[in-house]
Each structure stands twice: as structure tokens, then as C-alpha cells.
Amino acid sequence: MGGIGKTTLAKVVFNKLSTHFGKCCCFLEDVREKSSRTDGLVGLHKKLLSEIGNAAGTGSIDATDNGMKRIEETLRRKKVLIVLDDVDKSEQVEKLVGKGALFLGSRVLITTRHENVLQITRPKYEIVKYEMKVMSSDHAFQLFSRHAFNSDSPPNDDFGISKKILSTTGRLPLTIEVIGSMLRNERKEAWKETLDKLSKTLLEDVYNKLKISYDALTFQEQQIFLDIACFFIGEKKTNAIYMWDDCGLYPIRGIEVLKRMCLIKIGKGNEFLMHDQLRDLGKGIVNNENPMNPEERSRLWIKDEVLDTIKTKKMKNVQAMVLEPFPPKVHIKSEKIGRFEKLRFLELERGTFVGDLMDCFPKLTWFGWSAFDLKCELTNMCLKNVVVLQFSSIAGLDDMELWSLIKETRKLKVLELKWCHNITTTGDLSGCSTLERLTFRDCVGLRTIDSSIGKLKHLIELTVDGCNLIDLLVEIGELQNLERVILKGCCENFKCKSLLGLSLESILEDLVHRPNANLKGQLTFEIALLPPLQRLVLRGLYGIRELLALPISLTHLEVFCMSLQVVPDLSNLTNLVELDLHGGFEYGKQDIIHTGDSRWIRKLSKLEQLRLCHLHVPSPIELTSLRRLSQLHLCGVNLQPFTQVPSSLLKLNLKKFNSIALLSSNVKNLSDLELWHPQVEEIILDGLQLPNLRKLWVYDDGGPLQRFILSGMKMLKKFAIWECPKLDEIHIAGVLESLEVLRINECKSFGRFMYVKIHGKSSHESSLILESRVFNKLRDLNLQNNQKTLGIQVVGTSESLEELVLSGDHLQSLGGLSNLKNLKSLRIHSCPELRIDVWTTELPNECRLYINWCEKLVGVRGHYEGTVQGFKRHKSRLLICRSSCSSSKCPFSSSSNPHISSSFKRNDVESSCKSSMRPTVTLGPLCSSRTA
């Protein structure tokens, strides 16, 4: 069932587990939808490989078989976490995770509406199924109230009708959100009318329930909704707004209405997001316009339907169309495309046109064309009403052809050219006086921008990325409305010397040069003379040795320069709120000498965030003058003379540090501390100096850290330490009375806690004793792959611990489980030497067990997931089977255990035995390397 919350739950599980997999994590959304597109699976292959740490060479993947082979090779070698969201066919699973074996400890989560998608050919894995349940009545009522009334419960007068409306939604979260949002601030008559409409739909009829919200939209809002559902999911909203505005659809208000009614969302990258149920609703509405005749519909996006419609000789009602004929590459005759007289949106990939196109696009406002190097005749195409124009990989497009196409445009707002290698200059742009956004990406032949660019008085954004541009002309300085300049991947001879006079109110971003660039030591433009500039990001400046003066208007500055030799004095930038200075070693060389110092930083009194990394110069001795500083990140900085920080500091991140003396200074408000790659053998943290510390993360990755001492840490809530191979013990002085989450993972030498002022202590170096008195608020305990931890013993009653996760090849004993009175979840996996009798353990009956590959656990063979009570029932059936079953294949014969009751009828016993011997086949969300 759609809209029940599968994707939401998968994201929660993914976020919770991802910390255990490093960079080898990937969440593939909308597999069903993306797989249906041309080259959709190839795109998913590239995303998967790039995110699980094997990005090299993904650009060469051009077929699914090639991608599958690369994925199988990677999954055999790496422990990964992968989510396949919204799968509807078994071949999608096979093509995305291959048919080979997975690396030990890997996890694959799958969300689907169809249980049969895991009928796949691959190594034998036991598959864990979790069937989503509908929301409880109380939670559903609270969700509805939040969207309809912005509170957890409705006013007394609306209580009754709210209950009635909720009863018609099937308690599906998506339906509740959409209906509740639609009714917010509406009159009682609208509520009654909505209840009447909902009551006339079947309880399981999600489509018609959601369509009630669609019907409540204005015509203009409906058109925007349908365009997004059919074409713009995952696309940035900027260009679409230009088109809708030209069509009189009032997009600014329309988008706000759709957001308020929970019909769309806007992502962090300003892109449109939409639930797959709402996407299917939009496409279903379009299909229902005329189920039998696609040419009578308003929008077309299915390849076969588009090709069939083009062949018909009737005039078409189609307003928007995407054609991706792969294969074959198509040639569309002008008389055929001319029958689409209402067309306002057209995207064509791997195709070209033939014939006279002068009168073919009278209403076209958006034209996207990717010819993929097909030879094209473009001389007779009129695009006078086009607002958004995008060309990609068009071999026939040269300087003259480009000029002839755009010279007559009267409304053009957006011009984007990608991989058009024959473009060497922009040509005369004076005819595009309305242009606001101009982009050249990977046009490797582009050398110059024509001086006519100075006449584009409305230009807001200029992007030149991956082009061999020589310089920017002085005329750019005349563009008084230009807010954003992105210059990326320019050649070694590039000179940016002409930005004087610009009003860059937003950001000059990503001035990045290629690694082989020869910039002769410094930036060559007078950036200091850009007084309105507030944000400046300089990344990857491989040839830069020093920076020139910067404008004092800057509030945010990021410099990431691996070849930087001179650390500049930026004390004049008194308006800085955020400063990030990252030096480093050029191409792995470690002999670059930095000159200058960073003591001027204490003069930047407005700083709130400060990051310093690999600046091999004297550090500021104190930063107490930075009274607004709340976040401080220091990496590769000599901290021995660094002793004073401001009391306003809330978050501190130290990497590759050789001293923690500054933690003895005034850090009483510090709440978040992260310690990465410490270069010390011992770390001592005192609660008297850190009375408000709530979160502590430690990551060593092979460093010298051996001892960790916590003293009087009364406010600490979360403590995680991982990959500290030499850490053998953690000393705890006092009671960790607020600690709720404790995770110790991948610490090969760790074997015990040492308690100070507590009589109990570890009996020997490989035994870990958990004192309940010390951890009296602990809810979540996670101990994984700590090789020296051979035994774990819980001492004293714990009323707080709810979740316990254990794994490790060397773990042999686990005692005191009966002391965990409120344990809700016990996960034990890959503990082949662990010996306990789960059946006789006095755990709460409702506690859920997740046990996998623990061969020596008494009472468990292979895998078990379920409650303790369910396990005991299952065990009872097996005991009966031992006594009564005569099957030669049954491992539990009466001869192996004569002390078993045989009071049940023989046919019931044999049925139970056969059931117990049947392999368990279940579905996501959790699948290990042995559980796909």
C-alpha cells in the first residue's frame, strides 16, 4: 500500500545504521519510477557506485550489464548499507545489487508494495520481512490535528467532525496530511462538503481521496501540480517558474499553495519533491483525460505513446511532451511536429528535426534539446516565444548557428548550453535583452564571451563550468543586477580581472582551477574592490600560493587551497560571521612551508563559526575576544600554546591534535565535543571543567590512544567511540547519571571499564562489567567488534536499558540479562563463540530478539526475529518435535533428547516439524550479507 510510511521508516533506519558503514552507504529513491525511464537503471548504477566509494570510471557505464558487473565486484569487497526504495519488480533488485555474494555485515533494505519482488536468483539468503501497519488511532488523530489546526488536538467544537473525517482516511499518513492541510482555516461548510465526498469513496480508494485535494485547487494551481508530477520531480524550481509565469499560471502563489497543502515539498537544493502516490495521482489524472487516445491528453511522457501520437495526422491537444527515443535515434519531420500547435513544453533527447521549422513552435515557452551529436540542420527554427532554452550535445551548433537561433528571441530568460563543443564564443547577445540566467557547462571550445554581454542589464546569474575560457571582459562590470557568478574549471591562462563595479549581493562561488593550472602564485583580479560581496568560496585553487586583499563587506569566507603557502592577515574583515581556512599539502607533498600566522583572528569580534585546518603557522594563543563564537573546528593545528577559548563556545571539533589543554579553560557552556584522530595516548575529561557536555564522539582510526578517563560527567547523554585499536580501557569516576546512549565499536584492544569510587570492577582484562549504578539512565548500549572483549556481565538491576546490540567473533559469554527489566530489543549478530541459553534467559516477554549467525547459542539455529514469548512458543514446538517426529531429515529426534513431552497428537507434531524445517523467506527492511 502506498502512503503508509514505508519510505519515511526506511530513511529513519538508514540514518540510524549509516554511522556503522562509513562512506559505503546509498539510498536509492523511487526505483520504480526511475527504472522506467530511458537509461534509468544506468543512472541508478552510477549513483550507487559513486556513493559506496567506487566513483572512478562511472562515466563509462553505458549499459546495465556493465553496471551490474561493477556493482557485484564492489559488493563482494565492501561492507555496505543500501536502500532500494519503492521497488516493484524482482529484476530491479537483481540489476541493482547483482546476483553475487555480499560482503560480511552488509545490509540491504527494500521498500515495496509487492511481496514477490524478492523472487530472485542469487545465493541462498534468509530474508527478513516487516509488514507496515497503519497508524494507531491516537497518532493518526494527532497528525491530522497538527496539519488542520497546528496543534496536537482540535478545538472542542471541531472534535466530532475531525473524528469522522479521520475515519474515512484509512489512517494513511499521506492522506491525513493532505486532507488536514487542505482543511486548515476553511469554513465549516467546506469541512462538511469534504466529509461528504470522502464518505462516498471506498476506504482503500487512496486515489479518489487524494483527488479531493486536487479538485480544491484553482485551474492555475492544477496545471502547476500536473507539470511537476509529470516532468519536474527532482528538478530545481527556478526555470519552471519562468515558464509558468509566462503562461499566466502565477507560480509563486501556486507553489506556496501546493506546499501548504502538502502536495509538494521543496528540497534543500531548491528542487521539487513529491510523494510517489501524489505523482501517480497527477499522472493518473492526465491519463484519464482520454485513456484511449493519447493525442487528446494535455501531457505525454511515455516513449511509445509519444511516437504513436507524432505519426497521427490529427491536430493535437498536447501542451507538454518529453521524448526519449533510445533506441532508436529519430528524425522528426516538420509537418508532424507542426501538428502540436498547443505545445508549450518540449524536451527531445537523441533526436533531431527535418524540414522547415519556422512556424512549428508558436506557443513553445520551454525547449530542451539533446541531440547526442546527431548532425542537425538548425538554420530555419523560430523560437521567438521561448523563455527557457537548453541545448546539449548538439554537434551542428556552432557560433553562427547559436547566434541565428537566439537573435529573434523576445522573451528568453534562461539560456543553457552543455557539451556543445563547437561553440568558441557566445556571439552577439544584444538581442537577448531579457536574459536573466546564462550557463555554459563543458563547452570545451569556448574561449571568449562576446562584449555584448554588457548589454544584458537583467542578467542575474552567470555560470561558466568546464570551459577553456581565457578571460572575462571589462563589460561584465556593467551588469549591475548580476548577483551570482560561478566560474569553475577554467584553463591555466584564465584571467578574471574585470569584476569591478559588480553588485554581487549573493555569492561568488567555486572559483576552481584544474590541478594542472599554472596561476603563477596569485589570483589576478581585484576582488577587494567588490564592496557589496558578502559570501566568497574559493575551493581547489591548486596553483595559488597566496591571496590578495579581500572586500571588507564579507560575512562568510571559505578558502580551501591545497597549495597555499602564505596565510594572509584578514584582520580587516571585521564583518566575518563564518571563516573557514583550509591549507594542506599539494598532491600529497608534505614539505610546503607556510608563512605568516593566524593570531589576527582574535580581532574578528563578530565570528560565530571558525574552522582552521592544516595551517602550519603559529596559532592564536587565545580567542576570548570572540564573544559570539559558538562553533570551533581545529584540524592539524598545534594546540599546545592554544589555551583560551570564549565561554560562548557550544561545539568543539578537534582533528589530529596533540594537546587538549584548551579544555581546561573556560568551556563550561560546551555541549558538543568531537575528537578525531588524537595524537595522544591518554585523554582525561573532567565534569568540573565540562559541566554541560552532552554529546561526545571519539574516532581514532589507528592512532596511539590507549586510555580514556571520564570524571564527574553528570550531563553527558551520548558517548560514542570507534576505531581506536589501542584503547584497552575506559576509566569512569562517579556516576554517569544522564548517559542515555553508549556505543563502543571496532576497538580491537578494548576489554573493560575501570570504575573509580565504585567497589565493583572488571575481574580480568578481557571481561567487561557493566555497573547498573554507574549507567542508571542508559537506554541504548551498542558494543560491536571489540576483539579483546571476551565476556560481558551486567551487575545490578537496570530499569532504563531498552536496546542492546552486540557483535564480535571473540565474544564468549553474556551474563546478567535477567537484570535488564525493561529491555525492548536485543540484537546479537555474528557472535560464533557466544554461549548462552536464550530459552532460559529471564528477559521480558515483549522484548524483541534479532539473532543471526551465532552458531553456539542454545536454542537458536541460524536466524531468529521475534519476541521472547514467541521464541519460547517456537522452542516448545521444537521440543515436542524432538520427542515425536519420525522424519529422517528432522534434526530433533526423540533419541537426541529423551526428556521431552509427547502429549500432542502425532499429526500435529509432524505438521509443526515440517513448518519449522521450512526456510524463512521474509522481506526487508534489514538484510545482512547472509540475509539479503
Side-chain angles (χ1 to χ4, degrees):
M1 180 180 292
I4 199 170
K6 299 185 296 296
T7 300
T8 300
L9 179 60
K11 287 181 178 178
V12 171
V13 175
F14 179 80
N15 291 335
K16 188 172 183 179
L17 296 181
S18 59
T19 56
H20 303 292
F21 294 84
K23 295 182 179 180
C24 298
C25 304
C26 182
F27 195 111
L28 293 179
E29 292 186 284
D30 297 325
V31 171
R32 170 168 61 100
E33 169 70 10
K34 292 176 181 177
S35 298
S36 65
R37 302 176 189 172
T38 303
D39 287 350
L41 279 171
V42 172
L44 291 171
H45 284 163
K46 291 180 179 180
K47 176 177 171 62
L48 177 58
L49 285 168
S50 64
E51 294 194 8
I52 61 177
N54 194 10
T58 55
S60 64
I61 296 176
D62 56 4
T64 54
D65 290 344
N66 188 6
M68 283 179 60
K69 184 177 179 181
R70 289 276 305 278
I71 288 171
E72 287 184 0
E73 291 173 354
T74 301
L75 297 186
R76 276 198 297 266
R77 295 183 287 104
K78 290 188 176 184
K79 174 183 170 182
V80 300
L81 173 63
I82 299 172
V83 175
L84 306 181
D85 176 49
D86 194 19
V87 173
D88 69 335
K89 295 179 181 178
S90 59
E91 54 262 34
Q92 293 165 359
V93 179
E94 291 184 346
K95 290 178 179 179
L96 289 171
V97 295
K99 299 181 181 181
L102 303 177
F103 190 81
L104 181 66
S106 290
R107 297 288 187 272
V108 178
L109 287 72
I110 297 171
T111 69
T112 182
R113 302 179 192 177
H114 310 285
E115 190 171 340
N116 61 354
V117 298
L118 287 180
Q119 295 175 356
I120 55 179
T121 304
R122 63 176 304 116
K124 186 177 180 181
Y125 293 120
E126 194 171 17
I127 302 167
V128 183
K129 179 172 72 172
Y130 179 79
E131 182 178 351
M132 291 288 295
K133 309 297 183 183
V134 297
M135 296 184 76
S136 68
S137 298
D138 291 341
H139 287 158
F141 196 54
Q142 185 181 55
L143 180 63
F144 177 81
S145 299
R146 287 179 178 177
H147 285 275
F149 304 105
N150 199 27
S151 65
D152 287 342
S153 60
N156 292 335
D157 293 345
D158 297 313
F159 192 89
I161 193 170
S162 297
K163 279 285 189 183
K164 292 178 181 179
I165 289 176
L166 185 62
S167 68
T168 67
T169 64
R171 301 206 302 274
L172 295 179
L174 175 64
T175 308
I176 293 170
E177 288 183 10
V178 172
I179 298 298
S181 299
M182 179 187 69
L183 292 174
R184 178 180 288 190
N185 298 325
E186 292 290 340
R187 295 174 299 179
K188 288 291 179 61
E189 291 77 7
W191 281 64
K192 293 177 181 178
E193 184 179 289
T194 300
L195 176 59
D196 182 58
K197 290 181 180 179
L198 288 169
S199 300
K200 292 178 181 178
T201 63
L202 297 175
L203 193 61
E204 66 274 11
D205 189 357
V206 178
Y207 176 92
N208 283 318
K209 294 182 190 301
L210 295 176
K211 191 172 182 296
I212 291 173
S213 292
Y214 170 83
D215 292 336
L217 300 172
T218 66
F219 171 79
Q220 291 85 356
E221 293 158 359
Q222 289 178 348
Q223 300 311 302
I224 293 173
F225 173 80
L226 295 178
D227 276 355
I228 295 174
C230 296
F231 306 115
F232 290 116
I233 296 175
E235 300 293 332
K236 290 189 175 182
K237 67 180 184 179
T238 306
N239 291 354
I241 288 175
Y242 284 119
M243 178 185 68
W244 293 326
D245 185 60
D246 186 72
C247 295
L249 297 180
Y250 308 106
I252 303 301
R253 171 173 168 75
I255 291 172
E256 287 303 314
V257 170
L258 296 178
K259 285 169 55 182
R260 178 175 59 80
M261 296 180 65
C262 292
L263 294 174
I264 65 169
K265 294 180 180 179
I266 304 298
K268 293 181 179 179
N270 223 20
E271 74 277 12
F272 289 115
L273 304 176
M274 181 180 284
H275 193 283
D276 57 356
Q277 283 285 96
L278 293 168
R279 177 199 64 211
D280 295 344
L281 167 69
K283 291 186 173 182
I285 290 171
V286 173
N287 284 328
N288 289 336
E289 292 172 352
N290 197 316
M292 302 303 296
N293 299 311
E295 67 268 15
E296 296 298 325
R297 300 177 198 157
S298 62
R299 295 159 180 84
L300 295 177
W301 60 90
I302 299 175
K303 179 183 69 175
D304 293 337
E305 291 183 345
V306 174
L307 292 174
D308 290 342
T309 300
I310 289 175
K311 295 175 184 177
T312 63
K313 295 183 178 181
K314 297 191 299 183
M315 298 303 291
K316 316 299 190 301
N317 289 323
V318 180
Q319 300 174 25
M321 181 169 69
V322 172
L323 175 56
E324 299 178 346
F326 176 78
K329 299 173 181 177
V330 300
H331 298 264
I332 302 173
K333 294 182 178 180
S334 58
E335 60 267 24
K336 292 182 178 180
I337 198 67
R339 299 188 186 113
F340 292 81
E341 60 180 5
K342 297 182 180 179
L343 202 63
R344 60 176 171 83
F345 173 91
L346 173 63
E347 285 201 346
L348 173 64
E349 292 193 12
R350 293 180 176 86
T352 187
F353 299 100
V354 177
D356 188 347
L357 302 170
M358 180 59 69
D359 300 317
C360 288
F361 305 110
K363 295 185 178 181
L364 196 65
T365 59
W366 179 304
F367 185 29
W369 189 4
S370 301
F372 283 83
D373 298 328
L374 281 172
K375 292 185 178 180
C376 309
E377 296 292 336
L378 306 171
T379 55
N380 200 20
M381 180 181 292
C382 182
L383 303 173
K384 61 182 179 180
N385 291 317
V386 168
V387 175
V388 178
L389 182 58
Q390 300 171 327
F391 288 140
S392 177
S393 300
I394 300 181
L397 188 63
D398 57 20
D399 301 341
M400 186 62 69
E401 297 286 357
L402 176 64
W403 178 80
S404 66
L405 284 171
I406 65 176
K407 67 178 180 179
E408 299 296 334
T409 55
R410 299 178 302 181
K411 299 181 178 181
L412 191 63
K413 300 285 188 180
V414 180
L415 176 59
E416 297 180 359
L417 292 100
K418 302 177 182 178
W419 299 295
C420 295
H421 302 321
N422 291 329
I423 299 293
T424 63
T425 184
T426 60
D428 188 356
L429 298 169
S430 59
C432 308
S433 59
T434 57
L435 196 64
E436 295 186 10
R437 299 180 187 275
L438 178 60
T439 298
F440 296 93
R441 183 165 283 122
D442 294 307
C443 299
V444 295
L446 183 66
R447 306 290 285 175
T448 62
I449 294 179
D450 190 83
S451 61
S452 59
I453 195 173
K455 298 180 181 180
L456 303 182
K457 303 303 182 182
H458 298 284
L459 195 66
I460 297 172
E461 180 178 305
L462 172 63
T463 300
V464 183
D465 181 356
C467 306
N468 288 319
L469 195 65
I470 297 176
D471 61 31
L472 291 180
L473 300 174
V474 175
E475 285 78 7
I476 289 184
E478 301 173 9
L479 302 176
Q480 297 302 313
N481 289 311
L482 192 61
E483 296 179 359
R484 183 180 177 96
V485 177
I486 300 176
L487 305 174
K488 191 173 182 179
C490 301
C491 75
E492 66 253 29
N493 296 317
F494 175 71
K495 295 180 181 179
C496 186
K497 60 185 179 182
S498 54
L499 298 184
L500 306 185
L502 290 183
S503 297
L504 294 178
E505 298 173 357
S506 177
I507 182 171
L508 174 67
E509 183 183 39
D510 287 348
L511 185 62
V512 181
H513 297 268
R514 295 175 182 174
N516 60 354
N518 179 15
L519 297 176
K520 299 179 181 179
Q522 64 181 11
L523 294 178
T524 58
F525 61 92
E526 298 91 338
I527 198 170
L529 300 179
L530 300 176
L533 189 64
Q534 295 181 0
R535 289 176 175 265
L536 178 61
V537 180
L538 303 172
R539 297 194 190 104
L541 301 172
Y542 295 101
I544 293 298
R545 303 291 185 265
E546 61 181 298
L547 297 177
L548 297 181
L550 300 174
I552 61 174
S553 56
L554 285 176
T555 60
H556 295 73
L557 173 63
E558 178 184 339
V559 179
F560 192 107
C561 181
M562 300 298 286
S563 59
L564 188 68
Q565 289 185 351
V566 179
V567 178
D569 184 343
L570 303 177
S571 58
N572 66 312
L573 305 182
T574 55
N575 291 307
L576 278 180
V577 174
E578 183 174 344
L579 174 62
D580 189 342
L581 286 180
H582 195 301
F585 305 125
E586 185 175 28
Y587 318 126
K589 297 178 182 179
Q590 301 188 13
D591 56 356
I592 292 179
I593 300 174
H594 289 181
T595 59
D597 63 49
S598 57
R599 287 174 286 190
W600 47 264
I601 291 176
R602 59 177 181 260
K603 298 179 182 180
L604 306 179
S605 59
K606 294 182 181 180
L607 269 186
E608 296 177 6
Q609 296 184 36
L610 173 62
R611 298 177 183 87
L612 301 176
C613 190
H614 291 304
L615 300 178
H616 303 287
V617 296
S619 302
I621 298 175
E622 55 84 19
L623 297 175
T624 53
S625 59
L626 306 181
R627 298 182 180 180
R628 299 183 184 182
L629 193 68
S630 61
Q631 296 187 32
L632 177 61
H633 301 251
L634 301 174
C635 175
V637 176
N638 182 11
L639 297 183
Q640 289 181 342
F642 202 150
T643 58
Q644 294 293 322
V645 293
S647 60
S648 57
L649 200 63
L650 300 177
K651 181 175 181 179
L652 177 61
N653 186 312
L654 301 179
K655 292 184 180 180
K656 296 184 179 180
F657 56 93
N658 55 5
S659 170
I660 57 170
L662 62 86
L663 292 179
S664 62
S665 67
N666 188 18
V667 288
K668 292 188 176 181
N669 291 313
L670 192 70
S671 61
D672 191 329
L673 176 61
E674 297 185 14
L675 304 175
W676 298 77
H677 311 295
Q679 306 298 304
V680 295
E681 294 183 356
E682 181 179 84
I683 294 177
I684 303 175
L685 299 182
D686 192 337
L688 295 177
Q689 297 166 341
L690 299 164
N692 289 299
L693 191 66
R694 287 169 169 78
K695 178 182 175 183
L696 174 60
W697 296 92
V698 183
Y699 178 78
D700 193 1
D701 192 24
L705 183 63
Q706 297 179 20
R707 287 175 301 283
F708 205 97
I709 301 174
L710 297 174
S711 176
M713 305 298 291
K714 295 184 178 181
M715 299 298 292
L716 189 63
K717 286 190 173 184
K718 296 182 179 180
F719 178 31
I721 183 167
W722 68 101
E723 294 200 27
C724 299
K726 295 183 180 180
L727 179 73
D728 59 2
E729 58 189 26
I730 297 176
H731 292 233
I732 301 175
V735 176
L736 297 174
E737 57 190 55
S738 299
L739 191 67
E740 297 178 356
V741 177
L742 175 59
R743 295 175 180 172
I744 306 174
N745 296 331
E746 309 291 340
C747 298
K748 297 179 180 179
S749 301
F750 176 71
R752 61 176 176 171
F753 291 118
M754 293 294 292
Y755 300 100
V756 182
K757 301 178 183 178
I758 297 287
H759 293 297
K761 66 176 184 178
S762 300
S763 56
H764 54 81
E765 291 188 356
S766 56
S767 173
L768 189 149
I769 293 181
L770 191 72
E771 285 276 1
S772 298
R773 288 177 294 172
V774 176
F775 303 98
N776 55 18
K777 292 287 182 66
L778 191 63
R779 293 187 298 101
D780 182 341
L781 177 60
N782 190 309
L783 303 170
Q784 298 194 59
N785 301 323
N786 304 311
Q787 296 180 6
K788 288 289 185 70
T789 304
L790 304 183
I792 299 173
Q793 178 70 37
V794 179
V795 176
T797 300
S798 172
E799 302 284 350
S800 62
L801 194 63
E802 297 179 353
E803 182 170 352
L804 177 58
V805 180
L806 303 172
S807 72
D809 293 342
H810 298 78
L811 186 62
Q812 299 175 8
S813 64
L814 175 60
L817 287 179
S818 59
N819 291 322
L820 306 179
K821 302 301 182 182
N822 293 309
L823 194 66
K824 294 181 179 179
S825 172
L826 174 60
R827 297 175 180 269
I828 308 176
H829 62 91
S830 301
C831 296
E833 301 300 321
L834 183 60
R835 296 174 179 269
I836 58 172
D837 189 339
V838 180
W839 195 34
T840 59
T841 300
E842 296 180 9
L843 288 170
N845 282 333
E846 63 275 12
C847 175
R848 289 197 67 82
L849 302 177
Y850 303 85
I851 300 175
N852 194 24
W853 296 102
C854 302
E855 289 85 350
K856 295 185 179 180
L857 285 188
V858 178
V860 179
R861 288 176 175 265
H863 170 84
Y864 177 77
E865 178 184 346
T867 64
V868 170
Q869 188 173 23
F871 177 81
K872 291 178 179 178
R873 291 172 182 164
H874 175 72
K875 179 68 174 179
S876 297
R877 288 197 297 269
L878 294 182
L879 291 177
I880 295 168
C881 174
R882 288 182 182 180
S883 174
S884 306
C885 182
S886 60
S887 171
S888 61
K889 296 182 180 181
C890 178
F892 305 117
S893 65
S894 57
S895 60
S896 65
N897 192 336
H899 307 292
I900 304 297
S901 169
S902 57
S903 58
F904 287 92
K905 294 182 179 179
R906 184 177 182 83
N907 58 346
D908 293 334
V909 170
E910 291 178 347
S911 175
S912 175
C913 170
K914 293 175 183 177
S915 174
S916 68
M917 292 162 56
R918 190 180 301 122
T920 304
V921 181
T922 51
L923 177 64
L926 296 181
C927 310
S928 71
S929 62
R930 298 165 179 159
T931 313

